[in-house]
Amino acid sequence: NAGVTQTPKFQVLKTGQSMTLQCAQDMNHEYMSWYRQDPGMGLRLIHYSVGAGITDQGEVPNGYNVSRSTTEDFPLRLLSAAPSQTSVYFCASGRTPDTQYFGPGTRLTVL
Amino acid sequence: EDKVVQSPLSLVVHEGDTVTLNCSYEVTNFRSLLWYKQEKKAPTFLFMLTSSGIEKKSGRLSSILDKKELFSILNITATQTGDSAVYLCAGSVIKAAGNKLTFGGGTRVLVKP
């Protein structure tokens, strides 16, 4: 199993650009989530999904969209990037939220 | 609003020392308390605690939960340089749309040789 994969590993955007961070898992996990981690801070939940077709907002959803059309994929879309979205983004999946595996992360810089 | 607070923010110890990390939580519909270790990249799972007073152990690491006082501690004995990392705790809460995790800010541990 590849586990949880994220692409790209690094990305630089200009303010106002849009992009999609990709996340995929091959463990048939129902639960998937996106977090951001800023320096000196823990992980903050952006959006999560308990199965295909079902998503909900976390603590910091503004400026981000998600969809879950398949069990395997859970992309995160930045609609109009802002410097405040400079962060490291982690995707995670698990059979339950209590048993999540984290992907390697995407480091995003917005200029 | 769900809240998880970790202390201390950071600490520096020498190899062989014992370290105690604290995690307090105020969450509604509590399900479990989780500990993760984060080195350079993604967090890796350490423990899940659901019952008060039952210690979980894995090698030199152990953890316990107090659901009455709403806190958990993570102990690392006989520390090694490989224990240097950020340790994160998270409260898992039950929501209508599905459970979710709220993380604390983490404790950075540096173990010097």
Side-chain angles (χ1 to χ4, degrees):
Chain A
N1 286 354
V4 181
T5 57
Q6 291 184 238
T7 55
K9 285 190 169 54
F10 302 94
Q11 182 70 49
V12 179
L13 292 177
K14 292 183 181 175
T15 296
Q17 286 185 314
S18 62
M19 80 158 294
T20 299
L21 307 185
Q22 301 291 345
C23 174
Q25 52 91 8
D26 60 358
M27 297 174 279
N28 204 30
H29 288 159
E30 292 295 328
Y31 189 91
M32 294 186 76
S33 54
W34 276 102
Y35 295 87
R36 61 177 288 174
Q37 186 172 39
D38 301 302
M41 297 181 72
L43 297 158
R44 290 185 292 169
L45 182 65
I46 305 172
H47 286 284
Y48 65 105
S49 169
V50 298
I54 307 168
T55 64
D56 201 3
Q57 296 180 351
E59 299 169 66
V60 288
N62 292 342
Y64 307 95
N65 270 359
V66 292
S67 59
R68 184 100 180 266
S69 53
T70 67
T71 299
E72 294 77 22
D73 299 298
F74 192 42
L76 178 73
R77 294 183 194 82
L78 279 70
L79 309 170
S80 175
S84 61
Q85 294 178 304
T86 293
S87 190
V88 179
Y89 290 84
F90 288 101
C91 176
S93 78
R95 296 202 186 284
T96 71
D98 299 353
T99 55
Q100 292 184 82
Y101 296 89
F102 283 82
T106 293
R107 186 174 292 276
L108 175 68
T109 301
V110 183
L111 302 174
Chain B
E1 184 186 332
D2 297 329
K3 200 164 131 180
V4 176
V5 177
Q6 292 185 244
S7 63
L9 232 59
S10 65
L11 70 163
V12 180
V13 298
H14 288 93
E15 274 191 316
D17 287 349
T18 293
V19 158
T20 298
L21 309 181
N22 303 298
C23 174
S24 65
Y25 62 93
E26 288 177 38
V27 302
T28 52
N29 297 320
F30 174 82
R31 174 184 162 91
S32 63
L33 193 289
L34 305 164
W35 283 97
Y36 288 85
K37 178 182 181 182
Q38 185 176 25
E39 294 174 89
K40 296 202 182 206
K41 289 191 177 175
T44 54
F45 173 81
L46 292 174
F47 295 112
M48 180 172 78
L49 304 156
T50 53
S51 301
S52 266
I54 299 174
E55 187 182 52
K56 290 220 172 177
K57 289 196 77 158
S58 176
R60 296 174 293 102
L61 276 68
S62 64
S63 185
I64 198 160
L65 176 67
D66 185 327
K67 287 168 78 172
K68 185 178 173 191
E69 300 297 332
L70 307 183
F71 78 89
S72 173
I73 60 171
L74 175 69
N75 279 322
I76 310 173
T77 57
T79 50
Q80 302 171 356
T81 55
D83 295 326
S84 295
V86 174
Y87 291 84
L88 299 166
C89 77
S92 175
V93 298
I94 302 166
K95 297 287 185 189
N99 299 358
K100 68 180 189 76
L101 301 185
T102 298
F103 280 84
T107 295
R108 182 175 296 278
V109 175
L110 176 61
V111 182
K112 290 189 169 180

